[in-house]
């Protein structure tokens, strides 16, 4: 079942409520109603519970049903008079002016539809510095909200079909009016609408994103490693229900797209990366209904959701493999890669598995070996078989129609193997492949024939045609550290984007990181920028741990925020988490079992939501130890601390969001020379200025005003800082001209 989202690209007009939506008048409204309640002997609490969003006359009749028409009219007039007398603290709501500016840039007509009378509405809007092109008040309608008359009249005057008008409200009566008018709705204050907005700035961003460029360009992505994100049923294993319960955290953070690790039916020998049924949600993750809820809630928050396309291999429990391994003549035999033993016996070639030992396992039932670049329980698919390719096409179509917004493509460069299955050359004696997260067997070879074959691009191009029909994203997991080689995977009509793992595969070396980023920036504007994932030690640990590691990671996040492409966070990076501690014998990673020093468990310990047993991740026993986190690592504690890592990352992303229009103006990024050894990049009117080194840099003349500073939360777009500055080690700034 596809969960419909509002198509913001189809919106032709925006209709806004005034009080509480466009204008922050709560204090004056509540004062007026409280005075009125005292004058009329009515409980103020009862008044304030129903007054918001309804015409004064309607509220008076509900509170004082015994009054006649004349008495009710007089009581309503008195309430209006009290509101007219008090315009103190009336201001525009957060993001209101950003939204109005965005509507102007986009050429979208807009109107204000309010239950206030004309004189009061004009006074409040003027106090907030807002001059709407069309204003409809209670004077223009017969009844007022929740009747749809006002919104229908606004659509008629603008000449826009009601279904193409977006109603933005902060009250139930207003939302009811919009729904009754047949219009899509966006809600503030956590109320249920087609969209749920934290503020109007978010709507400005979504509207511009729907029109300026593909939705994933310059988006903020967030990886949810499902087993460890949040447990909704208390069994100690993260699931979709738990993830749904924490979408508000991602919305507040400013996330645009959520990547869910595999949720398909699986024996869980590799935590979901061994798929047994591509069209079923595993009950361990909550089943089909839990996914429907998550998609609906994410879309309501204005976020997209991508799944994990794991089609280099299946589980050996997949029905395809059960059939293929039963007979050499079974129709599914060609879905996998089978070969006779080598002359004299043994595996057909010298290819190793990621988990150690040969990449081949003998199947006695048919007398042949099958290929598996990962575990024996994960047989590789044969991407040279047209029937297999058609099966996967149908799977992609199924999930995009179901409501997913795209896929992260697992091992995207591994799919196609050398047609002749030739041996890989060994590396020279004493030399090892500089790759982490694999066994020594893997690192001793040059992987010339088993992965990264040129024919893989044809597979990606085939998927791209499907994805583009659905306005969906394909982002590749391509472990190619040379940015120029990686750029070939995203050129033309191939993958929309691909992760660049330069910052994932390195410890802290400021000069080397500086050089790597410069090369990656020059390679392509379509890369996805990432510091960590569930397969590698966390960035904070690799970069020095503790406060130093957090500052270094944050400085790189500021650079990433400027660069074209997509900015990604791995869960917990917003908290500045380093690796969790997993005592010996309590790990769960199959790679760690084969080679303990390569264990991925430390990056996968449960997300710490709040202090206490289970850290808010679970009420049961977690599948992995909690990592020995302390209370200061939790979302709950950091949310209340203005100087926390969480709130600093939130400030960065909020600033970036308000700069979206200027980011979208160009993809061209140039290296700038300021005071050595400062790292500075310019993208149009925006700059990132970062001190990656461990010593301060004095007397840096800023070429534009700073609008974000990792070390000074008082620096904002509304309170910029210009002139000369001293940069502490790993201090980072965003600058904006004009």
């Amino acid at each position: 079942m596809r969960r419909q989202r509002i198509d913001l690209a189809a919106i032709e007009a925006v209709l806004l409520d005034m009080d509480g939506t466009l204008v922050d008048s709560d204090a004056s409204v509540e004062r007026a109603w409280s005075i009125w309640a005292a004058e009329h002997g009515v409980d103020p609490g009862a008044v304030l519970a129903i007054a918001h969003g309804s015409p004064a006359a309607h509220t008076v009749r509900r509170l004082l049903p015994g009054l006649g028409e004349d008495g009710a009219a007089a009581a309503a007039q008195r309430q209006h008079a009290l509101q007219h007398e008090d315009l103190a603290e009336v201001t525009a709501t957060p993001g209101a002016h950003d939204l109005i500016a965005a509507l102007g840039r986009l050429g979208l007509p807009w109107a204000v539809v309010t239950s206030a009378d004309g004189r009061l509405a004009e006074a409040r809007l003027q106090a907030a510095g807002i001059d709407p092109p069309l204003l409809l008040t209670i004077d223009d309608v017969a009844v007022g909200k929740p009747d749809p008359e006002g919104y229908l009249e606004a659509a008629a005057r603008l000449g826009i079909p009601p279904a193409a008008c977006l109603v933005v409200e902060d009250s139930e009566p207003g939302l009811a009016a919009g729904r009754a008018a047949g219009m899509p709705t966006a809600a503030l204050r956590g109320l249920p609408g087609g969209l749920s907005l934290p503020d109007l700035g978010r709507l400005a961003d979504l509207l511009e994103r729907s029109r300026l460029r593909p939705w994933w360009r310059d988006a903020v992505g967030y990886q949810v490693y499902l087993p460890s994100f949040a447990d909704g049923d208390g069994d100690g294993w993260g699931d979709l229900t738990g993830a749904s319960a924490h979408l508000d955290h991602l919305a507040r953070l400013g996330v645009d797209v959520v990547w869910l690790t595999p949720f398909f039916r699986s024996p869980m020998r590799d935590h979901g990366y061994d798929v047994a049924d591509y069209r079923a949600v595993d009950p361990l993750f909550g089943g089909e209904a839990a996914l429907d809820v998550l998609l609906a809630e994410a879309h309501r928050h204005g976020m997209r959701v991508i799944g994990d396309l794991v089609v280099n291999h299946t589980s050996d429990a997949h029905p395809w493999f059960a059939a293929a391994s039963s007979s050499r003549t079974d129709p599914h035999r060609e879905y996998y890669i089978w070969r006779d033993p080598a002359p004299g016996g043994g595996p057909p070639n010298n290819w190793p598995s990621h988990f150690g030992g040969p990449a081949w396992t003998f199947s006695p039932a048919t007398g042949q070996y099958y290929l598996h670049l990962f575990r024996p329980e994960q047989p590789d698919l044969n991407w040279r078989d047209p029937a297999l390719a058609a099966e996967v096409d149908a799977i992609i179509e199924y999930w995009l129609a179901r409501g997913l917004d795209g896929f992260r493509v697992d091992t995207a460069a591994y799919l196609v193997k050398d047609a002749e299955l030739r041996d890989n050359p060994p590396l020279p004696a004493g030399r090892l492949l500089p790759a982490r997260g694999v066994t020594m067997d893997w690192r001793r070879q040059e992987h010339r024939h088993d992965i990264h074959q040129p024919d893989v691009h044809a597979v990606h191009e085939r998927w791209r045609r499907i994805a583009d029909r659905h306005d969906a994203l394909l982002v590749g997991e391509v472990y190619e550290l040379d940015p120029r080689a990686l750029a070939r995977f995203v050129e033309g009509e191939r993958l929309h984007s691909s992760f660049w793992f330069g910052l994932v595969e390195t410890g802290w070396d400021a000069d080397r990181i500086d050089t790597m980023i410069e090369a990656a920036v020059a390679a392509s504007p379509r890369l996805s920028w990432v510091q960590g994932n569930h397969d590698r030690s966390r960035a904070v640990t690799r970069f020095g741990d503790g406060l130093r590691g957090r500052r270094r990671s944050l400085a790189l996040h500021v650079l990433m925020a400027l660069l074209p492409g997509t900015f990604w966070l791995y869960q917990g990076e917003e908290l500045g988490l380093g690796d969790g501690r997993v005592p010996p014998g309590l790990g769960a990673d199959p790679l760690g079992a084969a080679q303990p020093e390569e264990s991925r468990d430390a990056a996968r310990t449960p997300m710490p939501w709040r202090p206490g047993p289970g850290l808010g991740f679970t009420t049961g026993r977690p599948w992995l130890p909690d990592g020995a986190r302390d209370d200061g690592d939790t979302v709950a504690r950091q949310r209340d601390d203005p100087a926390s890592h969480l709130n600093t990352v939130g400030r960065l992303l909020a600033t970036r969001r308000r700069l979206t229009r200027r980011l979208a103006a160009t993809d061209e990024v140039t290296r700038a020379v300021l005071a050595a050894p400062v790292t500075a990049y310019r993208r149009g009117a925006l700059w990132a200025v970062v001190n990656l080194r461990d010593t301060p840099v004095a007397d840096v003349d800023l070429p534009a005003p700073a609008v974000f500073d990792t070390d000074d939360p008082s620096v904002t777009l509304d309170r910029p800082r210009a002139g000369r500055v001293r940069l502490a080690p790993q201090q980072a700034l965003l600058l904006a001209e004009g």
Side-chain angles (χ1 to χ4, degrees), residues 539-666:
V540 166
T541 295
R542 286 184 285 107
F543 295 162
D545 224 346
L547 178 60
R548 174 176 287 187
R550 289 193 292 274
R551 285 186 62 82
R552 289 169 169 175
S553 175
L554 182 61
L556 292 179
H557 276 137
V558 174
L559 274 179
M560 290 163 55
L562 179 83
L563 302 178
T566 310
F567 173 113
W568 287 87
L569 292 166
Y570 174 48
Q571 66 185 45
E573 281 186 358
E574 73 273 28
L575 302 172
L577 296 184
D579 286 346
R581 291 199 290 276
V582 179
L586 297 181
D589 179 23
L591 180 60
Q595 195 159 314
E597 67 272 19
E598 297 295 338
S599 175
R600 299 167 292 184
D601 288 322
R604 299 178 175 187
T605 57
M607 180 78 169
W609 293 101
R610 60 179 181 269
L615 296 174
F617 165 73
T618 185
T619 58
R621 180 179 179 180
W623 72 285
L624 265 181
D626 63 16
R629 305 295 186 192
D630 61 35
D631 291 356
D633 291 328
T634 64
V635 173
R637 285 293 173 85
Q638 292 202 24
R639 185 178 294 144
D640 295 333
D641 177 5
S644 70
H645 200 87
L646 172 62
N647 283 320
T648 305
V649 172
R651 283 195 297 112
L652 171 64
L653 298 185
T655 304
R656 185 179 188 272
R657 186 164 60 249
R658 290 186 64 186
L659 295 170
T660 296
R661 176 180 61 86
R662 290 185 243 184
L663 284 171
T666 180

Side-chain angles (χ1 to χ4, degrees), residues 23-341:
V23 173
D24 186 354
S25 54
D26 282 359
S28 62
V29 168
E30 291 181 5
R31 283 194 297 267
W33 275 111
S34 296
I35 294 169
W36 182 93
E39 292 177 351
H40 290 80
V42 179
D43 175 24
V47 174
L48 297 179
I50 65 171
H52 192 73
S54 296
H58 182 262
T59 303
V60 166
R61 292 189 190 97
R62 289 182 63 186
L63 293 166
L64 300 171
L67 291 179
E69 285 299 314
D70 291 343
Q77 286 176 352
R78 172 57 180 160
Q79 206 283 328
H80 282 151
L82 288 167
Q83 292 195 42
H84 280 288
E85 294 169 5
D86 184 1
L87 293 177
E89 303 175 67
V90 173
T91 59
T93 56
H97 289 296
D98 290 336
L99 175 60
I100 291 168
L103 294 173
R105 289 191 295 268
L106 297 172
L108 282 175
W110 60 284
V112 174
V113 180
T114 177
S115 294
D117 66 64
R119 189 164 67 94
L120 177 60
E122 290 176 358
R124 283 200 176 142
L125 290 166
Q126 184 177 10
I130 295 170
D131 183 18
L134 175 63
L135 172 63
L136 290 176
T137 71
I138 194 65
D139 303 332
D140 300 300
V141 296
V143 180
K145 302 171 187 177
D147 190 274
E149 179 187 5
Y151 283 124
L152 290 170
E153 178 64 19
R157 293 194 192 185
L158 293 174
I160 305 295
C165 295
L166 178 67
V167 166
V168 187
E169 276 277 2
D170 77 317
S171 71
E172 276 295 353
L175 291 167
R179 288 190 290 265
M183 300 175 180
T185 60
L188 297 163
R189 300 179 188 256
L191 294 172
L195 277 176
S196 178
L197 302 171
D199 56 54
L200 294 180
R202 175 63 169 162
L203 180 58
D205 178 54
L206 291 172
L207 285 168
E208 291 197 311
R209 192 176 294 282
S210 72
R211 288 162 165 79
L212 291 176
R213 56 174 47 202
W215 58 263
W216 55 87
R217 295 295 292 275
D218 296 313
V220 175
Y222 188 97
Q223 181 192 352
V224 168
Y225 184 65
L226 271 172
S228 296
F229 188 63
D231 171 21
D233 60 9
D235 65 356
W237 176 262
D239 51 38
L240 294 160
T241 301
S244 293
H246 291 288
L247 289 175
D248 58 338
H249 168 71
L250 304 186
R252 282 194 300 269
L253 191 58
V255 170
D256 299 303
V257 53
V258 180
W259 156 29
L260 300 175
T261 54
F263 48 74
F264 311 107
R265 191 179 293 274
S266 166
M268 299 297 165
R269 293 190 180 98
D270 193 15
H271 307 140
Y273 283 91
D274 49 325
V275 179
D277 186 342
Y278 285 107
R279 296 185 186 230
V281 180
D282 198 289
L284 271 176
F285 291 118
E288 308 295 333
L291 178 64
D292 287 341
V293 170
L294 185 143
L295 292 175
E297 285 300 296
H299 293 155
R300 190 172 67 81
H301 281 89
M303 293 185 286
R304 308 281 184 133
V305 181
I306 65 172
D308 217 322
L309 187 64
V310 187
V311 289
N312 173 73
H313 50 265
T314 70
S315 165
D316 63 353
H318 196 292
W320 295 346
F321 189 73
S325 58
S326 67
S327 165
R328 291 196 184 194
T329 60
D330 187 90
H332 293 91
R333 185 74 172 183
E334 293 304 311
Y335 280 26
Y336 297 89
I337 299 173
W338 301 86
R339 289 295 184 274
D340 291 331

Side-chain angles (χ1 to χ4, degrees), residues 283-580:
L284 271 176
F285 291 118
E288 308 295 333
L291 178 64
D292 287 341
V293 170
L294 185 143
L295 292 175
E297 285 300 296
H299 293 155
R300 190 172 67 81
H301 281 89
M303 293 185 286
R304 308 281 184 133
V305 181
I306 65 172
D308 217 322
L309 187 64
V310 187
V311 289
N312 173 73
H313 50 265
T314 70
S315 165
D316 63 353
H318 196 292
W320 295 346
F321 189 73
S325 58
S326 67
S327 165
R328 291 196 184 194
T329 60
D330 187 90
H332 293 91
R333 185 74 172 183
E334 293 304 311
Y335 280 26
Y336 297 89
I337 299 173
W338 301 86
R339 289 295 184 274
D340 291 331
N349 66 22
N350 72 341
W351 295 357
S353 160
H354 266 277
F355 292 93
W360 297 93
T361 290
F362 187 69
S363 174
T366 59
Q368 286 188 314
Y369 283 86
Y370 67 86
L371 178 69
H372 53 87
L373 293 183
F374 294 88
R375 297 187 64 165
E377 297 89 355
Q378 294 169 292
D380 278 34
L381 290 165
N382 176 19
W383 275 96
R384 298 187 183 277
D385 180 54
L388 180 276
E391 287 267 21
V392 175
D393 285 355
I395 290 164
I396 293 172
E397 290 272 12
Y398 171 80
W399 285 110
L400 297 182
R402 173 82 177 266
L404 284 181
D405 300 293
F407 292 97
R408 173 262 194 184
V409 183
D410 184 64
T411 56
Y414 280 32
L415 307 178
V416 179
K417 281 71 174 176
D418 176 61
E420 299 175 27
L421 301 181
R422 289 171 287 186
D423 282 357
N424 283 329
L427 289 172
R431 185 182 161 208
L432 292 175
L433 190 73
R436 307 297 299 170
V438 292
T439 59
M440 293 298 292
D441 291 340
W442 185 271
R443 295 177 66 193
R444 290 190 178 100
Q445 285 190 2
E446 178 189 342
H447 292 275
R448 186 182 299 176
H449 300 301
D450 51 351
I451 61 175
H452 289 228
Q453 302 302 296
D455 293 348
V456 77
H457 297 308
V459 178
H460 298 162
E461 289 164 355
R462 178 178 181 136
W463 293 346
R464 173 70 177 266
R465 291 190 289 272
I466 299 172
D468 284 351
R469 289 200 303 271
H470 293 268
D471 189 29
L473 167 66
L474 296 175
V475 57
E477 182 205 24
V478 179
Y479 263 93
E480 174 56 76
L481 298 185
D482 178 356
R484 291 170 300 178
L486 180 62
R488 291 195 284 271
F489 286 83
V490 297
E491 66 186 13
E493 298 302 312
R494 294 174 178 174
L495 298 171
H496 296 100
S497 184
S498 186
F499 294 111
W500 175 63
F501 292 113
L503 298 179
V504 176
E505 294 292 343
T506 186
W508 188 258
D509 180 331
D511 292 332
R512 180 169 181 267
I513 287 172
D514 212 345
T515 301
M516 288 196 306
I517 290 176
E518 187 170 14
V521 167
S524 174
R526 290 169 55 173
L527 301 183
S528 279
W529 304 96
V530 61
Q531 291 187 34
N533 59 36
H534 63 288
D535 284 332
R536 295 294 183 268
S537 174
R538 286 185 173 273
V540 166
T541 295
R542 286 184 285 107
F543 295 162
D545 224 346
L547 178 60
R548 174 176 287 187
R550 289 193 292 274
R551 285 186 62 82
R552 289 169 169 175
S553 175
L554 182 61
L556 292 179
H557 276 137
V558 174
L559 274 179
M560 290 163 55
L562 179 83
L563 302 178
T566 310
F567 173 113
W568 287 87
L569 292 166
Y570 174 48
Q571 66 185 45
E573 281 186 358
E574 73 273 28
L575 302 172
L577 296 184
D579 286 346

